[in-house]
Amino acid sequence: MEFDPLLLSRIQFAFVVSFHAIFPVFTIGLAAFIALLEGLSFKTGDPKWGRLSRFWVQVFAVVFGMGVVSGIVMAFQFGTNWSIFSYSAANFLGPVLSYEVVTAFFLEAAFLGVLLFGRGKVPQGVHFFSAVMVAVGTMISSFWILSANSWMHTPAGVEFRDGLVFVTSWSEAIFNPSLWPRFFHMGIASFLTGAFVVCGVSAWFILRNRDRDVHRKALSMSLWLILFAVPAQIYVGHSHGLNTFEHQPMKVAAMEGAWETKTNAPLVLFAIPDQANQRNRFEVAVPGLASWLLTKDVDGEVPGLNEVPRELQPPVAIVFFAFRIMVGIGLLMLFFAVTGLVLRRKQAYASTPWFLVGLKWMAITPFIAVLAGWFVTEVGRAPWLIYGVMTHSEGLTPSLTGGMALFTLVGYIVVYAFVFSAGVYYLLRVMQKGVPSEAEVAKESSHQRPKRPLSAADADWEEEQTDGGKA
Amino acid sequence: MEPVFDLTIIWAVIIAFGIIMYVLMDGFDLGQGILFPFAPSEDARDVMMNSVAPVWDGNETWLILGGAGLLAAFPLVYAVFLPALYIGVFLMLAGLIFRGVAFEFRFKAKTSKYLWNWSFAIGSTVAAFAQGAVVGAYIQGFAVEDFSYVGGALDWLTPFTVMTGFGLIAGYALLGSTWLIMKSEGDIQAWAYRITPWLLIAVLVVFALVSVWTPFVQASVAERWFAGISYIWLFPLLALLCALWLVRSLHQRRDGSPFVATMGMFIFTYLGLIASKFPYVVPPNYTLWDAASAHESQLFLLLGLLFVIPIVLVYTAWTYWVFRGKVKAGAGYH
Ligand code: HDD
Ligand code: HEM
Ligand code: HEM
């Protein structure tokens, strides 16, 4: 049997990058939250903050670890499966990715060590500073990688000679036309992910009546963030759409399910796109709304997919549904954000069971929205790898056979499935254990760590173990 | 416009520096994993892991810099090596994944701890083997046409590369055991002292084998070494001197020197390897200059690196300083 290396490489890339993406979106938001908690703890000395911070650092450590190892894979994926693409785009991508390493990854890695292991070895202020540096590192990292990615969507500041990219203007290439909308959309998505997970976990603890007062604090803080971030995300998402409408109209046509160029174009709420027949089935649409949203004029012209030949159309159904999933989740988030505000009075947000149960389940939605969003972005670019310049098949590694690609694809799936299950299992364990008590925190800060035979937290692990054994 | 400096040479030095930084730093922490199954006790394993836990992520970042730096400065190397070593790269990455997650998972595990011991040990060993095989493959050379790799999936896997793979396992284990001598005390340190001479012997054997074998694998290398006495013989000589220093410092029970001596062995062997191949980076046909990226790209990145790398080195050194001193048995995790 013959395997198609192109298809397998695309599946592989989509799989490994999606797997990787789950972790950064969470760690970026959580790193900022931890830095905030450390700051509050440093400033007020209130043990509440120290307890929360210790708890979330444990979660962070697991997630960050998985983010790092899956990220290392990404750094080599370009070369293994897309060597022609790497070679031609190297003059731009190489420096940008290298800047990411030296300005962000080293910063994150070095200060992560101090954040995780430095309590008691460095003054508290330095520990707080390390938390801030980790958070800053994650933001810098997303800037560079999104610059590289945005450039593939809206290439600028370069010229192509003999199949190679040559940079003519670094600022135009780095700050390419879709960078800012993408950076802010992704940045807010990260904060939303962090916030919704913190909300969900806090709600879970409150529902179980464990350490209510600390978790209520965390819940309240993240609900405030959500209240402002969700509307901002919807606004930025809309501007992002307008930006795409200008630069990649076929992607927008796929998101809208628009087959024909129309004025007074309807906004399709639901349909089943049928690419073979170039039309929608079971369409439910609001007349004129798409034109109005995209051109601010109900009679504005919205180009349809039939502007380009079939082989230059992206796979419409994936883009279409992924877009609706993302926007649907965005609206759901808006509902919770507003409800959280309504329930502010008398702190009802921490005592309304349905709201807490709802938040618990909302904790996974940002991950789904983020992946759906990336599917819109990336599948919508197809068949282009560098928009308008190089297609997927042109960028593929020539020596790659279907068998090799299949071998590594299956390999990654197996490895990631294993790592992911273990990660989830240990995260549940961290949650089971809960927030350290005030006494534990006090004991820990009054001692110098290395002089102590057994740290308080670890002793607890062992006790739990014996208890568990007996029970 | 002719550039004043040959940027390509500067870049070669930077990449070479990045690679040796990676080899030395990740070497000693991969070494902990390679030695893991042989550790005398679970306590010893805790110490071994704790001694590298705060720094391993930073160490591995040098590998990423190596990858990204090659893409930036010598894209041909990146675009040929990775396809040519496709399966090997996958094995290395899978190994790095298993050992990387073991750091976090092992300390949170109770009954499943043994699983993460193996994950750490096998992951580290596989990654070390794959990296050693890459070195061997580089000595062998690649089938390249028109700037793309045209060979098969397993061309890199030959008896020679298998040997360099095992050689690097032994080398990293040696770095690991001497690191442990420096970072531990009591029984654990005594164990590290016991195994180090054996590891040194293993490394010297491989060293000798590679030296004898390489000229047969690559004629160009033979020519460089045997066409009259040249400066190049200085490197193996210095490496051997470091080995002697290592033996002496083991005898004198100097806690820090064995590690430094081992690093010296690595550095001089590495310089010897570079000298045998220079200026070919994609052997047998392409030199540094064929593989280089555009001048403006090299310059753009260089300007930033000159500024950023010193800062990176400073705070990296600072983290090592924060975690200086012996790691006590039983000291906890975060
Ligand atoms: C918007 C954010 C974002 C996106 C789109 C990506 N990454 Fe990422 N990456 C991060 C944000 C991030 C991070 C927040 O910086 C991580 C996540 C967890 C971590 O440890 O750092 C990280 C880790 C991480 C690492 C390990 C760094 C270390 O050792 O500390 C590498 C090599 C990459 N990534 C490479 C990539 C590549 C090649 C990507 C493109 C396909 C990619 N990442 C997408
Ligand atoms: C982190 C979140 C990301 C996710 C979830 C994601 C998802 C995807 C998906 C689903 C595809 C497959 C599209 C298709 O084959 O039709 C794809 C393709 C691709 N993406 Fe991304 N992407 C992400 C970020 C990036 C970034 C930051 C870059 C570059 C710097 C990038 C580069 C590519 C490349 C080169 C392809 C082509 C290979 C392929 O088609 O599979 N991606 N991505
Ligand atoms: C509800 C209103 C929203 C709108 C109108 C919207 C709009 C968009 C658009 C148009 C794109 C495609 C950009 C492109 O052409 O490449 C996109 C991508 C994306 N969306 Fe949304 N979005 C919304 C909500 C959300 C939410 C709630 C999240 C996550 C929490 C999210 C996460 C993402 C991500 C990660 C991407 C891919 C990265 C990018 O290109 O920015 N979006 N969004």
Side-chain angles (χ1 to χ4, degrees):
Chain A
M1 198 171 140
E2 274 295 308
F3 298 107
D4 175 11
L6 176 61
L7 182 65
L8 288 167
S9 291
R10 290 173 64 178
I11 296 174
Q12 174 168 328
F13 198 92
F15 175 73
V16 291
V17 77
S18 298
F19 183 84
H20 174 59
I22 300 173
F23 304 105
V25 284
F26 186 20
T27 47
I28 295 169
L30 195 55
F33 183 60
I34 288 171
L36 178 65
L37 292 174
E38 283 290 322
L40 286 169
S41 163
F42 181 52
K43 210 171 148 230
T44 65
D46 188 336
K48 185 167 66 214
W49 305 122
R51 291 172 64 197
L52 272 177
S53 158
R54 276 174 181 74
F55 171 73
W56 283 106
V57 162
Q58 293 223 1
V59 173
F60 183 74
V62 174
V63 180
F64 202 91
M66 293 198 280
V68 170
V69 293
S70 58
I72 294 175
V73 172
M74 295 315 305
F76 294 92
Q77 276 286 316
F78 293 119
T80 49
N81 291 49
W82 307 99
S83 70
I84 298 284
F85 159 69
S86 310
Y87 188 57
S88 358
N91 284 332
F92 173 67
L93 283 187
V96 167
L97 296 179
S98 302
Y99 269 118
E100 180 181 16
V101 179
V102 295
T103 58
F105 289 158
F106 276 116
L107 199 67
E108 291 172 49
F111 287 97
L112 178 76
V114 180
L115 176 63
L116 296 186
F117 301 96
R119 244 188 255 278
K121 289 204 174 199
V122 294
Q124 202 190 354
V126 176
H127 193 249
F128 164 54
F129 176 74
S130 304
V132 174
M133 282 300 115
V134 173
V136 169
T138 60
M139 292 306 290
I140 299 177
S141 157
S142 55
F143 169 81
W144 288 113
I145 196 72
L146 291 176
S147 168
N149 178 264
S150 298
W151 178 85
M152 292 165 65
H153 289 276
T154 49
V158 294
E159 62 187 24
F160 296 87
R161 273 184 266 136
D162 310 324
L164 297 184
V165 166
F166 290 89
V167 178
T168 51
S169 158
W170 287 99
S171 59
E172 276 173 37
I174 291 174
F175 302 100
N176 57 72
S178 64
L179 169 70
W180 289 121
R182 185 166 284 111
F183 178 73
F184 284 112
H185 199 52
M186 183 68 185
I188 301 175
S190 308
F191 280 104
L192 281 177
T193 309
F196 271 99
V197 174
V198 173
C199 270
V201 171
S202 307
W204 182 82
F205 276 115
I206 293 172
L207 284 168
R208 302 191 139 213
N209 234 333
R210 287 175 59 185
D211 297 304
R212 283 184 72 107
D213 49 331
V214 259
H215 291 299
R216 195 183 53 71
K217 266 282 156 220
L219 179 60
S220 165
M221 282 161 77
S222 33
L223 279 175
W224 279 121
L225 175 62
I226 286 168
L227 181 66
F228 293 99
V230 176
Q233 181 71 329
I234 294 176
Y235 174 74
V236 173
H238 177 66
S239 336
H240 198 356
L242 295 182
N243 179 279
T244 310
F245 184 61
E246 189 183 333
H247 297 281
Q248 296 172 300
M250 285 309 107
K251 188 192 279 182
V252 174
M255 295 192 291
E256 302 292 344
W259 298 100
E260 276 140 39
T261 305
K262 280 184 187 157
T263 54
N264 193 357
L267 186 77
V268 179
L269 296 180
F270 181 82
I272 297 190
D274 174 358
Q275 197 149 8
N277 296 309
Q278 301 276 301
R279 66 186 185 91
N280 287 333
R281 292 167 186 276
F282 312 109
E283 184 176 295
V284 182
V286 184
L289 193 53
S291 283
W292 185 74
L293 281 173
L294 291 167
T295 63
K296 299 206 172 52
D297 171 6
V298 277
D299 289 319
E301 187 180 273
V302 176
L305 289 154
N306 64 357
E307 300 266 321
V308 293
R310 278 282 284 284
E311 62 283 2
L312 291 184
Q313 293 175 359
V316 177
I318 300 179
V319 180
F320 181 85
F321 285 116
F323 184 66
R324 272 148 196 74
I325 291 170
M326 169 180 68
V327 173
I329 290 175
L331 297 177
L332 200 62
M333 286 176 168
L334 186 63
F335 169 77
F336 275 89
V338 174
T339 312
L341 181 65
V342 174
L343 294 178
R344 274 273 156 198
R345 269 198 298 160
K346 291 198 239 140
Q347 301 183 346
Y349 60 84
S351 56
T352 310
W354 71 264
F355 183 65
L356 294 173
V357 173
L359 280 180
K360 203 175 83 182
W361 289 106
M362 283 302 284
I364 55 162
T365 55
F367 296 100
I368 301 173
V370 164
L371 289 184
W374 277 108
F375 272 71
V376 175
T377 300
E378 301 285 324
V379 179
R381 182 181 56 196
W384 300 107
L385 198 50
I386 306 173
Y387 197 73
V389 176
M390 177 187 272
T391 62
H392 284 134
S393 56
E394 287 164 352
L396 190 72
T397 298
S399 62
L400 190 69
T401 62
M404 285 157 79
L406 185 68
F407 172 78
T408 50
L409 174 60
V410 173
Y412 283 119
I413 291 177
V414 170
V415 172
Y416 282 179
F418 184 71
V419 166
F420 189 73
S421 332
V424 170
Y425 173 76
Y426 289 115
L427 282 179
L428 293 178
R429 289 278 301 274
V430 170
M431 282 176 54
Q432 215 83 53
K433 184 163 164 268
V435 178
S437 73
E438 219 162 290
E440 281 166 342
V441 172
K443 202 159 86 193
E444 201 176 341
S445 357
S446 66
H447 288 258
Q448 276 292 316
R449 224 169 180 298
K451 295 202 188 104
R452 221 176 41 247
L454 218 65
S455 86
D458 288 28
D460 213 24
W461 278 115
E462 296 310 320
E463 266 161 37
E464 211 179 283
Q465 179 173 2
T466 41
D467 287 355
K470 277 179 217 145
Chain B
M1 187 191 73
E2 265 304 295
V4 189
F5 298 103
D6 187 349
L7 278 177
T8 301
I9 289 283
I10 298 180
W11 265 104
V13 173
I14 294 178
I15 299 282
F17 174 73
I19 293 177
I20 191 69
M21 282 298 278
Y22 171 73
V23 168
L24 294 177
M25 296 173 74
D26 215 26
F28 72 73
D29 67 46
L30 284 164
Q32 304 308 317
I34 297 167
L35 297 173
F36 226 50
F38 312 102
S41 64
E42 204 57 30
D43 259 357
R45 295 201 180 96
D46 287 350
V47 168
M48 289 163 80
M49 216 167 199
N50 273 338
S51 76
V52 295
V55 292
W56 74 272
D57 183 12
N59 296 348
E60 233 150 69
T61 307
W62 289 96
L63 176 67
I64 306 168
L65 181 62
L70 278 178
L71 180 63
F74 301 104
L76 185 66
V77 180
Y78 185 86
V80 169
F81 276 46
L82 290 174
L85 301 162
Y86 191 81
I87 305 286
V89 168
F90 168 75
L91 290 177
M92 176 186 84
L93 294 173
L96 291 179
I97 291 173
F98 278 112
R99 77 182 290 275
V101 295
F103 280 100
E104 283 308 319
F105 294 170
R106 181 173 178 276
F107 281 94
K108 297 196 165 60
K110 295 172 189 168
T111 48
S112 52
K113 207 167 182 172
Y114 76 98
L115 199 71
W116 301 112
N117 284 347
W118 283 115
S119 160
F120 188 58
I122 298 175
S124 306
T125 311
V126 168
F129 176 83
Q131 289 174 9
V134 170
V135 177
Y138 166 62
I139 297 176
Q140 278 177 150
F142 302 96
V144 180
E145 268 166 33
D146 209 17
F147 300 103
S148 289
Y149 177 67
V150 292
L154 291 175
D155 283 8
W156 59 276
L157 194 65
T158 61
F160 181 70
T161 56
V162 170
M163 190 194 59
T164 53
F166 281 113
L168 201 61
I169 293 181
Y172 282 172
L174 182 64
L175 270 175
S177 72
T178 50
W179 164 262
L180 200 59
I181 288 177
M182 184 167 76
K183 296 296 279 186
S184 67
E185 54 195 6
D187 289 352
I188 303 167
Q189 193 192 34
W191 170 71
Y193 265 119
R194 269 202 311 282
I195 58 170
T196 302
W198 297 105
L199 293 170
L200 176 62
I201 293 174
V203 169
L204 289 177
V205 169
V206 177
F207 187 77
L209 277 175
V210 175
S211 312
V212 176
W213 200 338
T214 306
F216 296 99
V217 176
Q218 258 295 323
S220 62
V221 176
E223 201 172 309
R224 182 148 305 168
W225 284 85
F226 299 112
I229 299 293
S230 70
Y231 70 96
I232 204 170
W233 289 90
L234 215 58
F235 297 120
L237 206 70
L238 287 168
L240 286 175
L241 277 179
C242 286
L244 276 180
W245 179 25
L246 172 58
V247 173
R248 244 180 53 136
S249 55
L250 285 174
H251 272 292
Q252 296 170 339
R253 302 259 144 178
R254 294 257 179 84
D255 287 5
S257 319
F259 183 61
V260 181
T262 311
M263 290 205 290
M265 283 173 65
F266 264 88
I267 292 172
F268 291 120
T269 314
Y270 175 72
L271 290 176
L273 176 70
I274 293 179
S276 334
K277 284 300 210 183
F278 187 84
Y280 291 94
V281 282
V282 184
N285 295 326
Y286 296 96
T287 66
L288 283 175
W289 293 275
D290 301 323
S293 60
H295 178 72
E296 63 271 17
S297 297
Q298 291 190 335
L299 186 64
F300 175 69
L301 184 55
L302 183 67
L303 294 178
L305 287 198
L306 287 181
F307 179 68
V308 184
I309 288 280
I311 301 177
V312 169
L313 289 174
V314 167
Y315 63 64
T316 303
W318 173 71
T319 52
Y320 273 85
W321 185 77
V322 167
F323 298 103
R324 69 196 177 282
K326 302 277 184 191
V327 178
K328 302 267 191 291
Y333 209 59
H334 60 83

